Amino acid sequence: MKPKHRTGKVMPTLEDAIRASSLKNGMTISFHHHLRAGDYVLNDVVRACAALGFSDLTVNASAIMACHTPLLEAIREGVVTGIECNFMHAAVGHAVSQGILEQPVLFRTHGGRPAALENGTSHINVAFIAASAADAEGNCNGKEGSSAFGSIGYAMSDAEHADYVVVVTDNLMPYPLTDVSIPENLVDAVVVCDSIGDPDRIMSGTTRITRDPIGLLIADYTARAIEASGLIENGFSFQTGAGGTSLAAAAYIGERMRKRGVTGSFASGGITGLLVDLLNEGLFTSLADVQCFDREAVVSIRQNPRHVEISASRYASPEAKSAVVDRLDAVILGATEVGTDFSVNVHTDSNGMIMGGSGGHSDTAAGASLAVIAAPLVRARLPLIVDRPQTLSTPGDTIDLLVTQFGMACNPRRPDLHDRLVDAGLPVFSIEELKEKAELLTGRPRLLKNEGRVVARVNDRDGDELDVIRTVSS
Amino acid sequence: MKILKKAQAGTLESGDVLVTVKPSDTLMIEIESPVARQFGDAMERSARDVLESMGIYEGAVHLADQGALDCTLRARLHTAIHRALQDYDADVAGSL
């Protein structure tokens, strides 16, 4: 009998896989954030690198979440000296703002990250891919198993472009896995561990519509504005986030589609149970899912072929031959600050401390025909609208409309939209008028300027620098 | 007038302020706020304004702010001082 070729990809520990990967000091390791606040893999890998004596590593993760505070210890020890990400939770962000890293963090967008891998401006030496199901050759997905998290979209680009790819799973299935999101031909090693994450923190049970009357009012205005724009026709496509106000807006848009008898083409982005309900009702033909936000979405992507898993590249890469965001009619986005030129900050809080990032914010704003910012005009005495946001995350010329509970402001470069909103009887103001309304309530906040050293660079989706973030002086 | 006993008004909900006033030989105003950098000076000015309008020149005032608007801050401080001056028994009021 002819001897069978055996790849021997399965390795007993992360340490073995790291050794086999030929990782060296100064190299870049990558991660994806679909396990959200429940992820164990990034911390386990960084700890293993520390135990093996590595230093000067760069962590390139699609997002740094609240559970990743052990990174701070690895930074203090010199194991990790660089971070590249599309989003950074305040738990790590505040330490970065206070200067824990000598080298500035590099912020990209969800589309800019795969684009940088595709055009070679960013390189990953070893990619670690958490999978809730994998076989011995590395065929894997995030849909099956007790740690299921749904779409594995952000990791697909890492698998394609990294020198060495390690799949980490807590659920080794018989070969061949049938529902394959990342195929074996891209995978070098498979490590089986006890658990890739805390299932209770990977997914929130159900993302819920807000009950806050201000949030509901903003959502109602948003849905009415999108209807007035004339976009809610057959083939309508849209994206919204998982926040309570965004969900309410999605529900109101669903009502308007139902009333008009409209069938939409797709909803994209982070997918929630609410969008799954709209799909199942037939209001949309399909979902394009780069990340699941709740359990309903995970169940749906596993069972429903019209709930389609997409890679970050297909979602939003400006280097891709085409991307889903460019087919979007409307997107509803949030903001911590909006400038009078409609530019948006989603990276830093009012003190300039890092607490977020673009994610797909600027990708969808650039792609959608109508990009709406929906946010309260005042939050805890802080007015939303400022002369210039602390950090420029999304350029103002990609934003079409700002909706608040006190009314909406249309970007002056969209006079057509302005007229439609006025004709629909919606409360339309100039952005300066809305700013004055807010300051009448709050008073004028003292202007803060952080002039310390640069702790982060914010790249736009094309890889050009938009802004820098500096240390926060207290 | 003089503050003779401790009294409070407000809550720690977002958009509110918990004001505590206590007897003291001097006038002291302490401010804790997530927006202290933007509005700390304005908050202290408003507090002094309310105290002066009520004839209070001695006492310790603590503002645990959660981003209250100026009108809220003034109202809470007014009520707290009122309670500190009155024959107001918080325990009795709380059990009503």
Side-chain angles (χ1 to χ4, degrees):
Chain A
M1 204 171 78
K2 199 166 74 172
K4 258 184 124 51
H5 171 69
R6 299 205 76 94
T7 57
K9 286 185 189 176
V10 178
M11 312 227 174
T13 67
L14 281 174
E15 281 85 349
D16 293 301
I18 293 166
R19 275 193 215 101
S21 75
S22 321
L23 182 70
K24 292 184 178 55
N25 293 342
M27 283 187 170
T28 297
I29 54 179
S30 85
F31 303 90
H32 63 106
H33 75 284
H34 296 97
L35 289 110
R36 305 176 60 75
D39 176 46
Y40 292 159
V41 172
L42 187 151
N43 293 337
D44 288 351
V45 169
V46 168
R47 196 178 311 117
C49 290
L52 291 170
F54 283 101
S55 62
D56 201 18
L57 298 174
T58 292
V59 167
N60 177 342
S62 49
I64 300 292
M65 308 300 283
C67 58
H68 293 143
T69 47
L71 253 185
L72 300 176
E73 191 54 36
I75 290 169
R76 279 185 211 104
E77 289 166 357
V79 179
V80 172
T81 52
I83 298 180
E84 301 175 10
C85 61
N86 312 337
F87 176 98
M88 180 178 277
H89 189 277
V92 175
H94 283 194
V96 169
S97 285
Q98 285 158 350
I100 191 171
L101 273 170
E102 225 159 281
Q103 193 185 312
V105 165
L106 181 56
F107 278 108
R108 295 191 179 90
T109 70
H110 281 336
R113 183 176 185 273
L117 293 169
E118 285 153 18
N119 66 26
T121 51
S122 161
H123 186 71
I124 295 167
N125 298 104
V126 186
F128 293 89
I129 296 176
S132 64
D135 65 31
E137 303 295 359
N139 292 302
C140 66
N141 69 46
K143 300 172 192 174
E144 299 163 77
S146 57
S147 303
F149 50 82
S151 175
I152 201 166
Y154 299 122
M156 291 175 173
S157 305
D158 301 34
E160 259 175 63
H161 297 283
D163 296 336
Y164 194 90
V165 175
V166 181
V167 167
V168 184
T169 189
D170 51 11
N171 178 28
L172 191 66
M173 307 255 290
Y175 183 92
L177 191 78
T178 49
D179 189 350
V180 176
S181 300
I182 292 174
E184 61 188 308
N185 52 300
L186 300 175
V187 179
D188 296 278
V190 177
V191 174
V192 184
C193 64
D194 289 342
S195 173
I196 57 169
D198 174 354
D200 287 337
R201 288 171 193 266
I202 293 172
M203 289 292 133
S204 53
T206 313
T207 41
R208 290 205 186 279
I209 293 175
T210 187
R211 290 197 295 186
D212 168 29
I214 292 174
L216 289 174
L217 182 58
I218 295 169
D220 180 49
Y221 279 157
T222 302
R224 285 163 62 187
I226 292 174
E227 184 171 46
S229 76
L231 288 169
I232 303 187
E233 294 295 338
N234 282 330
F236 175 61
S237 60
F238 101 120
Q239 175 164 339
T240 182
T245 301
S246 292
L247 288 174
Y252 290 155
I253 287 168
E255 272 172 31
R256 280 163 201 279
M257 292 172 74
R258 216 170 279 134
K259 218 185 284 170
R260 298 174 77 96
V262 161
T263 305
S265 53
F266 71 90
S268 62
I271 298 297
T272 57
L274 196 135
L275 293 173
V276 169
D277 290 343
L278 298 182
L279 173 73
N280 291 338
E281 193 190 325
L283 288 177
F284 285 98
T285 310
S286 75
L287 300 179
D289 187 342
V290 74
Q291 173 183 15
C292 294
F293 280 137
D294 59 23
R295 289 208 175 88
E296 285 91 333
V298 176
V299 171
S300 167
I301 200 172
R302 184 162 57 217
Q303 294 174 345
N304 188 343
R306 294 192 296 136
H307 184 156
V308 182
E309 181 175 25
I310 59 169
S311 69
S313 178
R314 184 179 165 197
Y315 171 49
S317 170
E319 291 281 347
K321 293 183 180 173
S322 73
V324 169
V325 293
D326 295 322
R327 298 290 299 216
L328 273 174
D329 287 328
V331 64
I332 302 167
L333 298 163
T336 59
E337 290 173 319
V338 178
T340 46
D341 66 348
F342 288 82
S343 58
V344 176
N345 172 18
V346 287
H347 279 89
T348 50
D349 68 15
S350 55
N351 290 315
M353 287 273 216
I354 295 168
M355 49 102 252
S358 192
H361 198 284
S362 48
D363 298 307
T364 51
S369 310
L370 174 62
V372 184
I373 302 294
L377 190 63
V378 174
R379 277 193 202 99
R381 201 173 176 174
L382 289 168
L384 175 71
I385 304 166
V386 294
D387 290 330
R388 197 185 167 281
Q390 297 255 354
T391 306
L392 178 55
S393 307
T394 297
D397 59 4
T398 61
I399 302 297
D400 301 286
L401 182 68
L402 167 65
V403 179
T404 76
Q405 73 272 40
F406 287 91
M408 54 193 77
C410 187
N411 193 320
R413 69 177 186 85
R414 290 293 309 269
D416 57 317
L417 177 62
H418 177 273
D419 293 350
R420 280 173 170 272
L421 298 172
V422 171
D423 288 346
L426 289 164
V428 185
F429 301 91
S430 73
I431 197 162
E432 290 80 11
E433 283 171 323
L434 282 182
K435 180 169 180 274
E436 265 174 49
K437 273 176 193 281
E439 287 176 1
L440 220 61
L441 289 168
T442 63
R444 247 200 119 115
R446 194 160 67 90
L447 271 184
L448 303 180
K449 203 160 185 221
N450 294 316
E451 286 173 332
R453 72 177 171 85
V454 174
V455 293
R457 298 184 182 283
V458 179
N459 277 10
D460 70 9
R461 60 197 301 253
D462 296 313
D464 297 321
E465 189 168 288
L466 263 183
D467 206 351
V468 296
I469 301 171
R470 295 179 182 277
T471 46
V472 174
S473 46
S474 44
Chain B
M1 271 189 286
K2 218 172 156 149
I3 291 170
L4 294 171
K5 63 176 181 183
K6 177 181 163 180
Q8 284 190 321
T11 70
L12 289 173
E13 297 291 317
S14 180
D16 202 349
V17 54
L18 180 65
V19 177
T20 308
V21 296
K22 283 184 202 169
S24 167
D25 295 338
T26 56
L27 186 65
M28 293 193 299
I29 299 173
E30 264 186 337
I31 299 172
E32 272 178 74
S33 170
V35 293
R37 294 175 77 200
Q38 290 86 353
F39 291 109
D41 296 344
M43 291 168 70
E44 178 158 350
R45 271 200 307 279
S46 292
R48 287 189 185 282
D49 198 31
V50 171
L51 291 165
E52 202 180 278
S53 74
M54 297 180 80
I56 305 287
Y57 299 98
E58 290 165 21
V61 176
H62 186 261
L63 308 177
D65 175 58
Q66 296 294 338
L69 295 179
D70 189 58
C71 52
T72 310
L73 172 67
R74 286 170 180 268
R76 294 303 195 195
L77 180 55
H78 198 278
T79 304
I81 293 168
H82 220 65
R83 286 173 179 170
L85 297 176
Q86 256 178 26
D87 222 4
Y88 173 88
D89 192 324
D91 291 335
V92 174
S95 68
L96 286 177

